Structure formats: structure tokens, C-alpha cells
Amino acid sequence: MRLVVLSDNIPKEPCQGEWGLCIYIEYRGHKLLLDTGSSGLFAQNAEVLGLDLSQVEFGVLSHAHYDHADGLADFFALNDRAPFYLRSECRENCWCDKGEGPEYIGIHQGWLTRFRDRLIYSSGKVQLLPGVYLLPHSSPGLAEVGRKAGMFVSECCGLVPDEFAHEQSLVLESAEGLIILNSCCHAGADVIIREAAEAFPGRTLKAIIGGLHLYRSAEEEVRELARAIKRTGISSVVTGHCTGEAGLAILKDELGDALQALHAGLELTYSD
């Protein structure tokens, strides 16, 4: 299994960086894509790295935010066949409020209609390939998490706290254990790890990969999360994007060698 980060906040030659995330995956002879970052930069980095995105068989959108979905048009222009899997709850309706009023952070408006022939909406736990699964949230009370984070979705009654029903994990089986990819972990990395453990009882937990949405979190919140992650028993945390530099430093202090930082161009390998 090979994973290559095509978009992340931290650049590393020969790749450029942006606020966003995209990961290319080779798995048992198949080629997949997780997210598309916030622009076409992922495609530029793929070309520099010699990766042919026209050969990708399908993509997965982790959740309905622009910094993961705004490269979709570029991907569909490069690849004329691969569908993208979204949660059935995905809409163009995500907002955030950091104290200065609501700001739209959702999928580019009009794209769910424009690209409807390339989109597949999934519900529940879904097997895409042998060893490849989509996993929705199953934990209650996530609307309170959204409220505290200042994240909302627009409904007929106005803005309501986001319960992240549009968010999903991509779970890959490996000889080393489960590899969990969740691009922002808005519900909390420990919650997401527990959800995977419950969905795959008795399986070893190898790694969680993606942002942890800690760039605005206080130090003690980050330390508490690190301790909660330790209690899950997972072996490895590979994170960047919305984790933030300060969050990464605190996590490193708590998790030590179990933590690895993401950057554009990073390659990870696991035994199939």
C-alpha cells in the first residue's frame, strides 16, 4: 500500500503547499484519490511526482468543505471516468463563524449539480473494494462539537450546528492493521478511531492519517486529545493540514515517535 500526499499546508520540494488536503493511494493494484485540496495544485504536484491521475479508479470526498472539494473540477477535467463518493448528507451548505459573522466554507456552489453524473452518494458502512471501506460517524452528540467549533450548516430554519453527517472516514485493511484516513477529524480523532474499532471488532489499529482540526485549540485541549488517542491503542498518528504548527508540537511532546507530520510530497507505505 502506497500513499502520497498531493496537497497539504506544508510544502516540501519539489511540491508546493496550500491550505487543503489530497492523498493519492495505490492499494492492491487499484488507484484511489482522497479529496482534491482547495485548488488544482494537487494535480500540479502529481505531475511533478510522476503520478498519472487519469488512471485513478475512484475518489472519496471526506467531507463537504472547500479545502477538500475545490479541486474537483480539475480532477474531472483530467480523469473522464472515475466517480467520487460522497456522503448522502453532503450539501452545499457548510458555514463557519469565528466571531466575525458567518463565512461560507462549503463545496463550490453549483458543483453538486454540475458534476452530478460523476458523484455517488453513500449511506452507512460501504465496501468499495475488498479491504477498502467508507465509514460514517456513528457517535451521538456531534452537533455540540460543531457548535463549540463555530461550524454550522444552513437548513430551512437558518444556521444550525454542524453534526458532521457529511463527513466520512476511508478505512483500509493492511497486514499491519487498519489504516484510518479522516481528513479533518472534526468529531475528534479519538472518536473516529473508536468508531473504526467498533465497526471492525477485534482488528488491530495501525494508523490514523489526516488533519486533527487543532489550529485554534488551547494547549490543554490538545494534550487531552493526545491522551485520549493514546488510550485507543492506535500505533501511529500522521497529521498536518488543520492540526496547525502549535498543535503538532504539543502532539509530538505527548505522542513522541508515534507522531509523524504530513507535508506535500510525503510518501507512506504499509504492507497489504
Side-chain angles (χ1 to χ4, degrees), residues 114-126:
R114 177 182 172 187
F115 298 120
R116 61 182 176 273
D117 294 339
R118 302 291 299 274
L119 305 177
I120 299 175
Y121 292 88
S122 59
S123 298
K125 178 182 173 182
V126 178

Side-chain angles (χ1 to χ4, degrees), residues 25 44 64 75 110 116 127 159 185 194 202 229 243:
I25 302 163
Q44 298 174 37
F75 176 73
R116 61 182 176 273
Q127 181 175 335
L159 293 181
C185 295
R194 286 197 302 272
I229 291 172
T243 300

